[in-house]
Amino acid sequence: MATPNSKGGFSGKVAFVTDDGPTMPGRRDVLKAGMVLAAAPLMGGVATRAEAAANPPVANGPFTARAYGNTSATGPLGPVQIKRRAVGPHDVLLDVLYCGICHSDIHQARNEWSSLPTVYPCVPGHEIIGRVQAVGSAVTKFKVGDIGGVGCMVDSCGTCENCLADREQNCLKGATFTYNSPDRATGENTLGGYSEKMVVSERFVIRIPPGADLAATAPLLCAGITTFSPMQHWKLSSRQRVGVVGLGGLGHMAVKLAAARKTEVTVFTTSPGKVADARRLGAHEVVLWSDTGAMKPLANRFDLLISTVPEAYPMQPFMDLLALDGTLVNVGALNQLQGGLIGMSMAFGRKSLAGSVIGGVAETQEVIDYCAARNIKADVELIRPEQINQAFDRVVSKNVRYRFVIDLATGRKQRT
Ligand code: NAP
Ligand code: ZN
């Protein structure tokens, strides 16, 4: 394992461009800045003198960046200036291009998770695609101009048994999440990808294969890995029966990923208007689960059910649908679950209720490569940063088809 990035201080070996005013770079920085300039055509960036003046190089310290966040649970998100840490030896600086909107962003911005209270200002975003703008002196995985992805974590202890087993999401000392976590390097609250710049340890940056549709790849970094990981863990294989409960961002990725395994996929939705979409995405069967009559014939049928519903709901009707040794994996509802499970039913059918959270770094790279090889991508609706609040409202009212992705690159270009 790479060592955790605990030295977030001045590195002296990076060169980058930020929104801050100009300062004189040191001699070594000039060399690295030359590298940035040489890469400019690749980056679509600082190729001309005028553009260079608009994006001047700055010293290797913390810097400010434009972001979109809120300052209270009831406040809308709007533009904010945030501080990013200096680029340390193991860090990469990303110029964020796209960031997906996950329902978790809404839960966090609105302080809806009782066990993870929100620290304000809150800048959400953990489905991030960016172009590498600078690298620290010890970085080996990326060079300036590469495309990198960041999911829900930006650090972990790196030494506990779970980290050593590539399960950083289950870090025994607590993973550092991309937002609303204490940064192991600075102690400050992490701020996410609704932002034009990110500084992230290279260990937590995922390689994005050349030629990928970048906007439609962003959601794989949370929605994709969160649904891929349980399929891997429970060894979902062809001809098995899998059910996906809730057809939103996670749900639509679950359907695509399950269909790619040649499983028999059933979607459980509350939205009659999504039935045709569910079939187009790869479902063999679609059930409006408010209809108890439609649920009954499906008893004892499913090997795996993945529930993406963001709120607690009575789960026994779904436990009834599991076959012997089947598992209902809840990834959606992260507050207190509803009781009412029947012991006899679970015991006689040796059924399990499980939870699962995102996936490790290696598994996230795996789902990105898996999807690139099979041309699997999210169905996205691209929005401008000023549309984030409307997008939040549409996600909450189940009216997303099927992931909003913020186009940060265009927003930035329009201002310059
Ligand atoms: P989403 O896009 O809003 O999709 C959720 C879907 O669930 C909705 O489209 C809707 O589908 C259904 N639904 C919503 N409210 C419902 C309700 N009250 N009752 C029944 N069904 C309802 O959300 P998402 O981004 O996919 O995220 C889903 C949940 O997973 C969120 O709570 C998020 O925080 C959590 N999450 C967990 C992890 C993890 O690692 N465990 C990772 C990412 C996200 P239909 O219209 O088809 O009914
Ligand atoms: Zn997410």
Side-chain angles (χ1 to χ4, degrees):
M1 298 293 295
T3 50
N5 171 27
S6 55
K7 300 172 195 136
F10 187 91
S11 129
K13 275 203 160 189
V14 294
F16 55 94
V17 171
T18 82
D19 292 350
D20 271 2
T23 57
M24 291 302 291
R27 189 173 160 275
R28 293 162 96 175
D29 300 334
V30 172
L31 295 175
K32 285 274 190 164
M35 199 170 90
V36 174
L37 287 169
L42 241 187
M43 299 159 62
V46 286
T48 67
R49 197 175 283 274
E51 282 163 341
N55 295 287
V58 297
N60 298 317
F63 62 95
T64 58
R66 186 183 173 90
Y68 301 88
N70 64 347
T71 52
S72 75
T74 52
L77 278 76
V80 286
Q81 289 291 322
I82 58 168
K83 190 167 92 184
R84 289 298 189 195
R85 70 171 189 240
V87 180
H90 297 280
D91 288 341
V92 301
L93 169 62
L94 289 174
D95 214 353
V96 179
L97 303 173
Y98 297 105
C99 185
I101 293 183
C102 177
H103 205 125
S104 298
D105 300 351
I106 303 171
H107 289 314
Q108 195 75 78
R110 297 182 177 176
N111 198 16
E112 290 172 350
W113 279 326
S114 48
S115 20
L116 207 53
T118 306
V119 176
Y120 293 98
C122 170
V123 174
H126 57 207
E127 293 181 342
I128 302 156
I129 298 277
R131 185 174 281 121
V132 176
Q133 200 184 357
V135 294
S137 56
V139 167
T140 56
K141 196 166 146 189
F142 293 96
K143 59 182 189 324
V144 171
D146 285 350
I147 300 292
V150 181
C152 302
M153 297 176 294
V154 287
D155 212 346
S156 72
C157 84
T159 56
C160 75
E161 62 184 85
N162 289 344
C163 285
L164 293 173
D166 290 331
R167 291 192 301 263
E168 298 89 348
Q169 77 277 28
N170 306 122
C171 174
L172 294 172
K173 294 188 182 137
T176 305
F177 293 107
T178 306
Y179 52 78
N180 206 56
S181 270
D183 187 325
R184 281 179 152 82
T186 64
E188 290 170 13
N189 190 40
T190 54
L191 300 167
Y194 296 6
S195 154
E196 294 186 350
K197 312 276 177 193
M198 297 272 299
V199 178
V200 183
S201 164
E202 67 165 333
R203 196 158 65 92
F204 285 82
V205 183
I206 307 298
R207 286 194 205 87
I208 304 299
D213 176 341
L214 299 184
T217 294
L220 304 179
L221 293 156
C222 175
I225 181 61
T226 301
T227 50
F228 181 74
S229 186
M231 292 180 198
Q232 293 288 93
H233 181 75
W234 277 277
K235 299 186 172 41
L236 182 67
S237 56
S238 62
R239 291 190 297 278
Q240 282 195 311
R241 290 174 177 150
V242 57
V244 176
V245 191
L247 193 64
L250 267 58
H252 97 291
M253 285 314 311
V255 174
K256 291 186 183 205
L257 291 166
R261 289 171 185 251
K262 306 204 184 324
T263 57
E264 202 181 293
V265 189
T266 299
V267 165
F268 295 88
T269 179
T270 60
S271 304
K274 293 182 184 173
V275 171
D277 279 351
R279 291 194 191 281
R280 174 182 59 79
L281 294 166
H284 300 87
E285 206 170 339
V286 190
V287 177
L288 283 169
W289 59 280
S290 49
D291 176 3
T292 45
M295 297 283 273
K296 275 226 162 67
L298 303 177
N300 305 316
R301 197 178 151 90
F302 290 90
D303 301 290
L304 188 68
L305 290 168
I306 299 179
S307 174
T308 73
V309 174
E311 289 168 33
Y313 63 95
M315 285 182 163
Q316 186 57 41
F318 285 100
M319 294 302 282
D320 291 342
L321 305 192
L322 289 175
L324 181 70
D325 289 330
T327 305
L328 167 56
V329 185
N330 167 52
V331 294
L334 301 182
N335 283 328
Q336 189 168 4
L337 298 179
Q338 281 193 20
L341 290 180
I342 299 169
M344 185 88 73
S345 141
M346 289 176 74
F348 282 30
R350 207 160 54 187
K351 298 175 179 186
S352 306
L353 172 64
S356 183
V357 67
I358 49 171
V361 174
E363 201 174 39
T364 307
Q365 186 67 63
E366 192 180 345
V367 73
I368 291 286
D369 296 343
Y370 178 95
C371 289
R374 293 164 180 77
N375 196 28
I376 298 173
K377 46 192 180 176
D379 285 19
V380 302
E381 186 172 334
L382 216 54
I383 62 162
R384 298 185 307 276
E386 56 273 25
Q387 295 173 296
I388 291 171
N389 295 300
Q390 287 160 268
F392 272 24
D393 291 343
R394 278 186 53 195
V395 171
V396 170
S397 57
K398 307 184 205 173
N399 181 18
V400 54
R401 302 267 195 299
Y402 279 89
R403 204 54 144 183
F404 289 110
V405 173
I406 310 165
D407 178 352
L408 287 141
T410 305
R412 183 170 34 229
K413 260 187 234 141
Q414 281 167 349
R415 286 202 321 282
T416 51

